[in-house]
Amino acid sequence: MNVKIDLSRVVPEKAILSQYNDQIESSLDTLWSNEDIRSEWVKVPMQISKEQIDEIMMTALAAQDSCGLFVVIGNGGDCQGIKGIVEATKDKSKTAPEMEFVGESISSDELGKTVERMKHYEVNVCVISKSGETLETIVAYKYIKQYMENRYGKEIAAKRIMVLTGSSESNLKKIARESGSGIFNLSENFVGNFSILSPASLLILAIAGINIERFLSGAEVMATDPFWDIDGGHYAIMRKLLNESGRSTEFISFSKDSFRALSIWIANLFMEAGSKKQNSLLVMPYNKPRDFKSRSEFLRENKDRIIITEIDSENTMDSSEMLDEIVDDAQNRWTAKDIDIIGDDFYKELFKRTSWEGDIRIAIPKSDAFNMGQLAYYFLMTGSIYSYITLENPYDRDLINEIKGSLTYDDIVGE
C-alpha cells in the first residue's frame, strides 16, 4: 500500500485511537457483508471480471477513435468523482481525447463555453443521470444535442451520443429514444459519490486514457491490505473525535491544481456520507496557494474549530516533460521537481510563521492510475467508516431525493 497517512500532529499516541478498533471492525464487517446492496463498490476491485474490463475497453477505444473531444454531461457525484480522477491522474494515454465536463449548473455561460470548445474538435458525448430526471443534466443534454444535430445531422449525432441512465422510464430516456441515441442502463447498486468504481464510471475513465486495470489493481491493493486490521480507520475516528471536541469545519487542502476537482469530490463524498446531523462536520475544498493569504488570520485565530486535511502527491511526473519542451536550455532550466521543492518549502515556512501547519496529511508517491486507485478507495472506505461510527447510513439522501422527486423537468420547463 502506497498511501501515507500522517496523523501525528493531532494524535500524540496511536494507543488513543486503538481504543476504537472494535467500532472500525464493526463498520468494515457491515461494508463487506453486502447487507446494503449500495455497498457493491467495496468488492468491485476483486470481483470485476476480465471479460467486463475487455468490454469496457472495447467501447472506450471505439469512442476514442472517433473524437478529439469527449463531453461528459452530468451533475451527480459520479461525474465529480470521474472529473477528479481524470484531472489528477498523470499517466493517461497520450492518444486519448480531451475531456470536457458540463452540467453542474443551469448556465448559458457554461454551455456556451462548452459548445465553443466543441467547434474545434470531432466530438462524442456521454450523458449520465441515474434518475433520468436531473434538471441540470437534461437542460445541458438538450442544448448540446441540438448543436450536435445541427453540426452532424440527426442520424450521425445520435451515434455520437451515449446516454447512461437508470432502468426506469424518464424524460432523459424518452428524449434519447426519440433521437435514436444508444441507451445503457446504470446499476442501482452504485449511488452518488460512491459511483467511481461502477462500470459506467470506469468506462469514462478508460475513454479519458486512464489504465483502468491499473486503477482497479490499486484499489484492490488498498482493499485487501492488512492495514485495515490495524489502523486503516483511524483517520475516520480522528475526524469524529475532533468534531466532538468542537472542530466544526474540515478543509480538504491541496496545493497542486490538478487536485482541485479531486478535493471537491472528497469533500462532497464526506458530506454525503457523514454530515447529515446537527453539529456535523462541514467539509469543503481548500486551495492552499490561492486561499491561505486571505484566510491566514482566520485560520490562526480559529485553530480549535478547524481540521485541515492535506492531500498530496510527492512526484509531479509528466510536468517535467512539459517543461523540457518549453525550455531547451538544459543548463539554465528549472525542472518540475525544482519548482515543487520551492513551492513546498515556501508553504511550509508560510504555515510555520502563522502558527498553522495543518493537522493531517494523506499522500501518494505519484499521481498515476495505480496510486489514484488506492487513494480513491481509501477515501471511499474512510468516508463510509465515519458514517457508520457516527450512526448514519452513508448512502441515504432523503432530502435531496425528496426535492428531486417534487421538482422535475416537467415542473420547470412544462413540456
Side-chain angles (χ1 to χ4, degrees), residues 202-341:
L202 292 173
L203 171 61
I204 309 304
L205 294 180
I207 291 170
I210 291 175
N211 186 328
I212 59 170
E213 288 186 274
R214 292 287 293 159
F215 180 76
L216 288 165
S217 293
E220 181 176 4
V221 166
M222 175 57 71
T224 57
D225 197 282
F227 156 82
W228 293 108
D229 299 326
I230 306 168
D231 55 8
H234 284 177
Y235 171 44
I237 294 292
M238 196 65 250
R239 295 178 70 235
K240 177 179 184 289
L241 296 179
L242 289 171
N243 183 219
E244 290 174 347
S245 73
R247 302 208 192 188
S248 57
T249 302
E250 180 177 19
F251 289 143
I252 305 299
S253 169
F254 64 96
S255 56
K256 292 180 173 62
D257 191 64
S258 59
F259 274 34
R260 182 190 305 270
L262 183 67
S263 71
I264 295 172
W265 172 66
I266 294 167
N268 289 341
L269 171 70
F270 280 2
M271 288 294 294
E272 181 178 319
S275 291
K276 304 167 189 174
K277 297 179 180 178
Q278 191 174 14
N279 300 321
S280 297
L281 275 170
L282 171 64
V283 190
M284 55 198 303
Y286 172 52
N287 185 330
K288 186 164 62 173
R290 184 194 68 193
D291 299 337
F292 181 75
K293 294 176 185 178
S294 62
R295 301 182 187 182
S296 57
E297 299 289 342
F298 175 82
L299 293 173
R300 184 178 63 183
E301 299 303 322
N302 292 276
K303 286 192 292 185
D304 58 345
R305 296 167 50 198
I306 297 168
I307 307 167
I308 289 189
T309 297
E310 181 182 7
I311 56 170
D312 199 8
S313 169
E314 296 169 356
N315 190 312
T316 310
M317 294 187 67
D318 64 349
S319 299
S320 59
E321 296 177 14
M322 291 188 287
L323 286 173
D324 285 345
E325 294 173 5
I326 296 168
V327 184
D328 57 8
D329 182 354
Q331 291 185 339
N332 296 295
R333 179 175 62 237
W334 274 0
T335 67
K337 186 175 181 181
D338 293 330
I339 292 171
D340 284 345
I341 289 173

Side-chain angles (χ1 to χ4, degrees), residues 165-210:
T165 187
S167 57
S168 302
E169 282 301 312
S170 64
N171 274 301
L172 177 60
K173 188 171 285 188
K174 178 184 176 183
I175 297 167
R177 189 182 293 117
E178 289 174 351
S179 65
S181 292
I183 301 172
F184 303 87
N185 285 336
L186 293 175
S187 169
E188 299 295 329
N189 298 353
F190 296 90
V191 297
N193 288 285
F194 290 90
S195 301
I196 192 61
L197 294 174
S198 71
S201 296
L202 292 173
L203 171 61
I204 309 304
L205 294 180
I207 291 170
I210 291 175

Side-chain angles (χ1 to χ4, degrees), residues 145-180:
K145 181 173 80 72
Q146 179 177 292
Y147 166 79
M148 293 289 285
E149 289 176 348
N150 289 340
R151 175 175 171 179
Y152 291 106
K154 289 188 176 182
E155 184 177 345
I156 300 300
K159 293 178 181 179
R160 286 182 172 271
I161 300 173
M162 66 172 75
V163 175
L164 309 181
T165 187
S167 57
S168 302
E169 282 301 312
S170 64
N171 274 301
L172 177 60
K173 188 171 285 188
K174 178 184 176 183
I175 297 167
R177 189 182 293 117
E178 289 174 351
S179 65

